[in-house]
Amino acid sequence: MTHAGSDEVSDDLEMRGSLEIKNRAISRTAITAALKDPRVTRTTGGMSRLTGRELPRADVTLGEDTIAVNLYIGVTWPSQITEVTEAVHAEVEDALATMTGLHVHRVNVLVSDTTLASGPAPVSNPDASQTVSPRPPTASPAAMPVALLFGFVLLGVAFVAGREFLIAQGTIGGSPWIADAIGWVAGLHWQGWMIAAAIGSAVVGLLLVLIGVKPRTKTHSGLGGSASTVWATPTDIARLCSAAAQSTRGVVDAHTVVTRRKIDVRVERDPGFEVDGIDSAVREALAPVLSVAADGRRSTVKHTSAPPTRVT
C-alpha cells in the first residue's frame, strides 16, 4: 500500500514538467527595469536595430542557479553617471531576483551613449561551482571580417558543387568548372611568379593566425577599479573631466582627451587669473572624477590663455 502511494507521487511529479527561463525573458526583464529610471534613454529601430546597437540591451550569462548580466544603457546629459548607474544596478538586480527567483551573481551597467537633454552589493554564493561571471565589455572580434569573407567563399564553393552535380545528372548543360580547373592546374609548370605567390600566401596565413588569436579591444573602463560593476566609455570619462574642469573659477573652456594610457585635460584660463592657482583648483575639481574613472591612466593638465575679449 505504501509502495503504491510512492509510485503515484512519482508519477504526479513527472507529469508536472519542468521550468525553463530563456535568456530573452531575463534580458527583457533587465531592460524594462532599467527604463524605469527617467534618465535612461531608449534607442531603437532604424540603423540601431540593423547594427545591434539598440539601447538599453542586455547580454545574459545563465548558470545552473545564477544569473550574470551586462546591461548597456544610454543616459541623458548632464546626468550624474555614477548616480544613474547605481540606481539602475539596484533596480535591475531587484527585478531579476524577484521575477526569476535565481541568485543574481553580478549586474554590470555599461554606459554606451549619452544624449543631450533640455546599489546593493552582489551576495556571494557559497557554492563556487555554480557561480558564473559575466563576459567583460569588449569590441567585436578582429577576425569577424575574415569569418564573413570565408563564409561567402564557402557559399561560392557550395554553388559550384551544386552546379557540378546538376551537370553530372544531366539536369543542366555546360562545361564542368571543376574538371577544367583541375586540368589547368595539372598543366602548370614551375614559373618565377610562384615564388612571390608562395611568400604572399605565407604572409596572409600568418596575418590570419594573428587576427584569430588577437584579444578583443577593451571598450569600457570600470568606475572604481577592477571589481567595479559600473563601466563607462572613454568619451563619457572625457565629458566628466571637462565638466569638472569647467566648473573651476577662472576656467573659460576645457577639453579632455582620454586614451588607453592617459587622461589629458586642456583648459583655457582667464588671463586675469594666475596659472598656479588655476592648476591646483582644476586638479582639486578633477580628483573625485579621477579617483573612480582613471583606471590606472596617468592624468595631465595643460593650460592656455584665452584670447582677450574685444569690445567694439
Side-chain angles (χ1 to χ4, degrees):
M1 192 171 192
T2 305
H3 179 71
S6 62
D7 289 343
E8 291 178 0
V9 173
S10 177
D11 293 340
D12 183 56
L13 291 175
E14 292 179 358
M15 292 178 64
R16 292 181 184 179
S18 61
L19 173 63
E20 181 179 0
I21 303 176
K22 296 291 187 180
N23 286 18
R24 187 174 182 181
I26 298 175
S27 174
R28 288 185 174 181
T29 300
I31 291 172
T32 302
L35 288 173
K36 289 183 178 180
D37 193 309
R39 297 166 294 183
V40 176
T41 61
R42 186 180 185 92
T43 305
T44 184
M47 291 301 297
S48 299
R49 177 172 297 178
L50 293 177
T51 58
R53 298 292 181 180
E54 289 186 311
L55 296 176
R57 73 178 188 276
D59 293 339
V60 177
T61 305
L62 185 61
E64 183 178 352
D65 294 310
T66 59
I67 306 171
V69 177
N70 276 345
L71 179 64
Y72 299 81
I73 65 172
V75 300
T76 57
W77 182 262
S79 299
Q80 188 65 254
I81 290 181
T82 53
E83 293 180 1
V84 177
T85 51
E86 288 175 0
V88 170
H89 179 276
E91 186 68 34
V92 171
E93 187 175 29
D94 291 342
L96 291 176
T98 302
M99 295 293 292
T100 65
L102 300 177
H103 169 65
V104 182
H105 172 59
R106 175 167 290 188
V107 177
N108 281 341
V109 181
L110 303 100
V111 179
S112 299
D113 186 34
T114 54
T115 303
L116 186 63
S118 16
V123 180
S124 59
N125 188 350
D127 188 356
S129 63
Q130 295 183 0
T131 299
V132 293
S133 298
R135 295 182 296 273
T138 53
S140 299
M144 181 178 293
V146 179
L148 291 174
L149 176 61
F150 272 96
F152 285 114
V153 170
L154 292 177
L155 290 176
V157 171
F159 170 77
V160 172
R163 180 180 180 276
E164 295 292 315
F165 174 77
L166 295 177
I167 291 176
Q169 297 296 320
T171 305
I172 61 175
S175 60
W177 291 348
I178 295 179
D180 293 345
I182 292 176
W184 178 77
V185 173
L188 287 177
H189 299 283
W190 174 256
Q191 299 181 24
W193 61 265
M194 293 183 179
I195 297 178
I199 296 175
S201 299
V203 171
V204 172
L206 289 175
L207 288 176
L208 293 179
V209 171
L210 292 176
I211 291 175
V213 300
K214 179 182 178 181
R216 296 189 183 187
T217 304
K218 184 179 179 181
T219 58
H220 293 70
S221 298
L223 301 183
S226 58
S228 174
T229 58
V230 180
W231 302 75
T233 62
T235 300
D236 291 314
I237 294 175
R239 288 174 176 172
L240 287 172
C241 292
S242 295
Q246 288 176 349
S247 66
T248 305
R249 187 169 179 264
V251 173
V252 178
D253 193 13
H255 178 70
T256 305
V257 177
V258 178
T259 64
R260 297 174 63 181
R261 296 184 179 181
K262 68 177 183 176
I263 298 177
D264 185 11
V265 182
R266 303 174 185 178
V267 298
E268 290 187 9
R269 62 180 179 84
D270 190 320
F273 288 79
E274 295 182 358
V275 175
D276 294 339
I278 290 184
D279 183 83
S280 59
V282 169
R283 292 184 182 276
E284 184 178 353
L286 289 173
V289 178
L290 296 178
S291 64
V292 296
D295 196 21
R297 296 182 179 93
R298 178 172 53 88
S299 61
T300 59
V301 178
K302 298 180 180 179
H303 304 268
T304 59
S305 179
T309 303
R310 298 182 60 184
V311 180
T312 58

